[in-house]
Amino acid sequence: MNRRAVAGVLLVLAGVAYSAWLLAYVLPVGLSLVHAYVSELAAGDQPYRLLFRTTDRIAGAAMVAAAVLLAVRAPRRPACFFALGGLFLFGLSVVVDASSSLDCASAASEACRIKEDRGAVSAADTLHTVSSVVTNFGMLAAVLGAQRFVTGTARALLFAAAAVIAATGLAIVWLDTLGPGHYAGLVLQVQLVAAAAVLITAGVRLAVRKCGPPASPAAPAGSSARRR
């Protein structure tokens, strides 16, 4: 299996592992999946925290590994930097997220909400909040950078995914100021579905390749499309 194919497999693995939160719909998690943030599933007081922390670590590590593989001999182009750098940052921040989980799930505990309002949380909890913001930037950079290496429908779908990621990210920031509830969890889930769909589609189609421009119809027979 060549480097490109391995990267594709890793991206599929990342997309599947990053979608493990869907198991919350069949597991007795005790959280409102409409209002609670997905990251609360891995909070320190939640019963399935080990499961969700592990799957996030797998997803993040797979993204980092794929980015490193694809960066080998990659052309030094801005779009390539954003695509692969964004993917690397996305994966790394997901690993940090999973390794510095929230102290408790505020959606399920009034005491936890009071603790957060007072700022009486651990350093790991604070780091989780910061890394979650970085995750959004990495996610968006990867998707925007990738559109440079595809054409037609694929490019339109990547732009649509980027718009969804950006819009939901802004919505979550606003909803967070309103306190618990307000469908913040559901909004975040839309973002996660968009990100996982991009990862899985890219992997399955082996679209993530050494960065380069797509081949034109008039390109010589020896040339090939370089997609990401």
Side-chain angles (χ1 to χ4, degrees), residues 77-203:
R77 296 175 178 171
C80 186
F81 172 79
F82 273 95
L84 298 183
L87 180 62
F88 184 89
L89 185 62
F90 181 13
L92 183 61
S93 58
V94 168
V95 172
V96 174
D97 254 6
S99 302
S100 56
S101 301
L102 299 171
D103 294 341
C104 51
S106 59
S109 169
E110 178 65 26
C112 184
R113 288 194 290 272
I114 294 173
K115 181 180 178 180
E116 288 185 349
D117 290 340
R118 291 177 176 174
V121 295
S122 67
D125 190 297
T126 302
L127 179 59
H128 178 90
T129 301
V130 174
S131 61
S132 294
V133 174
V134 176
T135 296
N136 276 270
F137 283 109
M139 189 188 303
L140 189 58
V143 175
L144 287 176
Q147 61 81 31
R148 170 63 180 82
F149 307 104
V150 293
T151 58
T153 303
R155 177 172 288 185
L157 289 175
L158 283 175
F159 269 124
V164 169
I165 291 169
T168 52
L170 291 173
I172 290 167
V173 171
W174 175 64
L175 291 171
D176 193 52
T177 65
L178 303 179
H182 303 95
Y183 303 97
L186 194 60
V187 172
L188 177 59
Q189 289 171 34
V190 172
Q191 182 187 77
L192 298 181
V193 167
V198 171
L199 290 169
I200 293 173
T201 301

